[in-house]
Amino acid sequence: MIRSGKAFSFICALSLGIASLTACSNESASNKSSNEPTEFSAMVKLHTPEVPDKKVLDILAKETNMELDIQFVPATTYPEKVNTLFATGSFPDSVVLDLEMLIQYKEAIRDGQFWEIGPYLDEFENLSKMKKDVLENTKVDGKIYMIYEGKPLSRQGMIYRKDWADKLGLSAPTNIDEFYEMLRAFTEDDPDGNGKDDTIGLTDRNELIFGAFKTVASWFHTPNNFGVKDGKIEPEFMFPEYMKTLDFFRDLHKKGYINKDFPITSKTDQQAMLKNGTAGVYVGSMGDVQSLYTDAANINPNVELDVHNQVAGPDGQFTVWSLPGYGNAILFPKSSVKSEEELKKILAFYDYLMTPEGANLIYWGIEGEHYTIKDGMAQIKDQQLFDREVLPIQTLEIAEEETNGRLKGYFTYEPQAKAEELFTDNEQYLIEDPTIGLDSPTFIEKSVSLQKIIDDATYKYIIGDIDKKGFQAAVEEWKEQGGDQIIEEFSSSYQKKK
């Protein structure tokens, strides 16, 4: 339920006890003394086709006494928009950067273009609850500049057509060989029973990280971005497991078990192939299963999906790559946030987003309208209404359910509930990136252009345009263009940290 400011202050006093009554009263008095809303602009990623209705945002503005100007930029064009902001210096009051952008613009953070917020966090009851180990992963030179948007350490796994698997007598694959057999069977054994050669095993897209490639690579035990070899930091593509993954995908592509044009396929088109019955397996975030099923069932009411995570590598062990506890972070440019006073007002807004009331509002919407409470959990009332009015706003969530106190989801769709459990299960088998917290000036300067060399070579090898010698030539180019310095700098930083 969305409560008024008075009600919230009253609940605050009750929940914190008599000792905190003064603090709550001061907050209430402060709100009353400044009735003028504070103007606040932000730029966030839009992961849905349309911008949200303003209904929920209007409530958020009222609850926080803010005049909100939130620009929703499509995720596909977001990096380009951020580059423009840095080029022109015309930042909003807060800006979201993903892990790649944080590396790209690390020097701008070092140069003092953004506020260091670490010294202020203890002044805010809720922001101070952010996980210390995740904050540690966000630090630049030991200082905290950002509020993180928490993510499960690994949501990665597979979503597959269970009805197809049942028809062909297949169980969820427990290892790489069984995974390969499922892709073969879904391509060659007429899983939809229409007598036509019109299905493929795996649907993938032009994304080597959050598409299928990196997750399958982690099943082969490929390091996560970088690995440690003989006390030295080396990139993932210099490990034999990466080459095994390349060979695996090259074979899938050659035999038609994966969409041939995956290097130029968008996420929307990738998902459409699972929804419309062209493909039987989707490797990525298992949390996508609900939306995939909803759309697939509209096309074919008999469709059955399931989720699965543990696919063991050649040695019989299961591993999966990990995020550092967050996927995006929010920074506050000094060019737009001019004073400490302004910064504190903005931090107070984010502090509200870490209350159960604020977190539930932006994640679940309005109680009674978008969701109801069942067994102490949030159950969506109307999925289409929710997807239109609330889902795009979830991008505003900070920290995680565990620290912001939002309601857990009640899922009537069993595979979605199972996916949530498998996120937790993954945490026992993580491959972490050893360079988190390490320094390499050359990596900051050249990582984007250098990574393109490897990405291009990866795609070309898979589709058969180059052979092993061609891929090795790309690795040598990477090393010559600055890669050797990156290895040296990360290795030196790693030894110092040990």
Side-chain angles (χ1 to χ4, degrees):
M1 184 184 294
I2 307 307
R3 303 178 173 92
S4 69
K6 281 184 182 175
F8 176 66
S9 292
F10 175 65
I11 288 160
C12 174
L14 282 181
S15 63
L16 297 178
I18 301 301
S20 299
L21 187 58
T22 307
C24 288
S25 300
N26 288 343
E27 181 191 337
S28 195
S30 164
N31 288 341
K32 285 177 183 174
S33 65
S34 58
N35 288 327
E36 284 297 311
T38 301
E39 291 183 7
F40 172 56
S41 59
M43 190 174 88
V44 298
K45 291 182 182 178
L46 179 68
H47 296 284
T48 54
E50 295 179 9
V51 296
D53 182 277
K54 284 196 169 182
K55 185 186 298 181
V56 175
L57 290 176
D58 286 344
I59 295 171
L60 178 61
K62 185 179 178 183
E63 289 295 315
T64 56
N65 196 28
M66 285 282 192
E67 190 176 308
L68 299 178
D69 176 16
I70 298 178
Q71 185 182 1
F72 291 86
V73 178
T76 50
T77 58
Y78 193 86
E80 186 182 327
K81 182 70 175 175
V82 169
N83 289 339
T84 302
L85 293 182
F86 273 94
T88 60
S90 54
F91 286 102
D93 297 328
S94 81
V95 62
V96 172
L97 300 183
D98 63 25
L99 294 172
E100 193 171 298
M101 293 174 201
L102 287 169
I103 293 167
Q104 186 180 350
Y105 296 112
K106 198 171 186 179
E107 284 307 313
I109 298 171
R110 281 194 167 119
D111 289 346
Q113 294 182 34
F114 297 90
W115 283 90
E116 181 193 349
I117 64 168
Y120 305 102
L121 292 181
D122 285 343
E123 296 179 31
F124 296 91
E125 180 189 352
N126 303 297
L127 286 178
S128 62
K129 294 175 185 171
M130 286 191 289
K131 290 182 177 179
K132 298 294 184 278
D133 56 339
V134 179
L135 281 174
E136 190 67 32
N137 285 340
T138 73
K139 283 183 177 179
V140 176
D141 299 334
K143 298 175 181 178
I144 298 170
Y145 292 87
M146 52 199 90
I147 292 172
Y148 69 84
E149 297 178 7
K151 271 194 175 184
L153 292 169
S154 180
R155 291 175 171 166
Q156 305 310 112
M158 59 183 285
I159 299 168
Y160 68 99
R161 285 288 298 266
K162 188 174 185 302
D163 51 336
W164 285 10
D166 289 348
K167 179 178 182 294
L168 299 178
L170 298 171
S171 302
T174 63
N175 56 47
I176 292 280
D177 289 342
E178 291 176 9
F179 175 67
Y180 181 88
E181 171 55 20
M182 176 176 276
L183 301 186
R184 184 209 63 76
F186 281 1
T187 307
E188 297 179 349
D189 294 350
D190 192 23
D192 57 1
N194 67 357
K196 298 176 183 176
D197 181 15
D198 58 358
T199 59
I200 60 170
L202 179 65
T203 178
D204 200 13
R205 65 180 188 265
N206 58 348
E207 165 64 80
L208 291 171
I209 297 175
F210 293 102
F213 185 83
K214 191 173 179 72
T215 296
V216 174
S218 68
W219 295 344
F220 277 100
H221 314 316
T222 304
N224 185 359
N225 301 325
F226 288 84
V228 181
K229 187 188 290 181
D230 300 325
K232 196 163 85 168
I233 298 286
E234 292 189 354
E236 59 186 354
F237 49 83
M238 287 174 61
F239 285 74
E241 293 85 356
Y242 193 94
M243 183 53 70
K244 288 177 186 173
T245 311
L246 282 177
D247 287 337
F248 184 82
F249 272 85
R250 186 182 176 106
D251 186 59
L252 295 182
H253 189 268
K254 184 179 180 181
K255 292 178 177 169
Y257 301 164
I258 186 174
N259 49 310
K260 291 276 191 182
D261 61 349
F262 83 92
I264 56 168
T265 299
S266 69
K267 183 176 182 179
T268 301
D269 290 342
Q270 175 205 19
Q271 292 190 340
M273 280 185 270
L274 191 82
K275 294 172 185 177
N276 65 26
T278 300
V281 178
Y282 173 93
V283 175
S285 172
M286 293 178 286
D288 291 341
V289 68
Q290 176 73 69
S291 59
L292 288 172
Y293 173 74
T294 301
D295 291 348
N298 285 334
I299 299 169
N300 173 11
N302 298 317
V303 69
E304 287 182 55
L305 299 181
D306 203 356
V307 292
H308 180 66
N309 66 329
Q310 292 205 25
V311 178
D315 63 351
Q317 302 299 311
F318 166 64
T319 50
V320 65
W321 68 278
S322 168
L323 288 167
Y326 69 102
N328 297 296
I330 301 157
L331 290 93
F332 307 94
K334 288 183 178 177
S335 59
S336 48
V337 182
K338 301 290 189 184
S339 67
E340 186 179 64
E341 183 186 3
E342 281 181 53
L343 177 67
K344 287 186 177 183
K345 285 181 180 177
I346 292 167
L347 290 177
F349 169 80
Y350 285 100
D351 191 65
Y352 176 73
L353 295 186
M354 275 197 71
T355 63
E357 290 82 4
N360 284 332
L361 174 63
I362 58 170
Y363 200 87
W364 297 116
I366 303 165
E367 185 182 346
E369 188 169 337
H370 298 113
Y371 74 97
T372 56
I373 295 179
K374 182 168 182 177
D375 297 339
M377 294 179 278
Q379 181 176 16
I380 294 168
K381 283 189 72 175
D382 179 330
Q383 190 68 48
Q384 288 187 325
L385 179 70
F386 180 86
D387 288 350
R388 189 169 63 250
E389 297 187 351
V390 184
L391 190 60
I393 297 169
Q394 286 186 347
T395 193
L396 293 174
E397 187 187 31
I398 59 172
E400 52 278 300
E401 174 191 285
E402 188 183 330
T403 49
N404 63 31
R406 72 166 162 82
L407 293 165
K408 289 182 181 292
Y410 181 91
F411 300 107
T412 53
Y413 183 51
E414 198 278 330
Q416 181 68 40
K418 182 178 174 183
E420 298 285 326
E421 293 171 3
L422 296 186
F423 297 162
T424 304
D425 185 62
N426 272 351
E427 293 184 9
Q428 304 170 70
Y429 308 99
L430 300 175
I431 303 172
E432 296 178 344
D433 182 345
T435 64
I436 297 295
L438 300 185
D439 244 351
S440 166
T442 308
F443 185 74
I444 293 168
E445 181 189 348
K446 298 184 175 180
S447 63
V448 175
S449 59
L450 288 179
Q451 189 58 46
K452 190 174 187 311
I453 295 171
I454 300 303
D455 288 353
D456 288 349
T458 296
Y459 285 126
K460 285 178 180 177
Y461 186 84
I462 291 170
I463 65 176
D465 281 0
I466 60 174
D467 58 11
K468 279 187 169 66
K469 284 185 180 177
F471 185 80
Q472 193 54 44
V475 173
E476 291 303 317
E477 184 186 354
W478 180 90
K479 292 168 73 177
E480 289 166 8
Q481 297 292 329
D484 278 335
Q485 290 102 298
I486 289 172
I487 291 171
E488 189 179 320
E489 289 163 4
F490 269 143
S491 296
S492 173
S493 182
Y494 175 72
Q495 290 299 333
K496 286 175 186 172
K497 196 172 182 183
K498 282 176 69 179

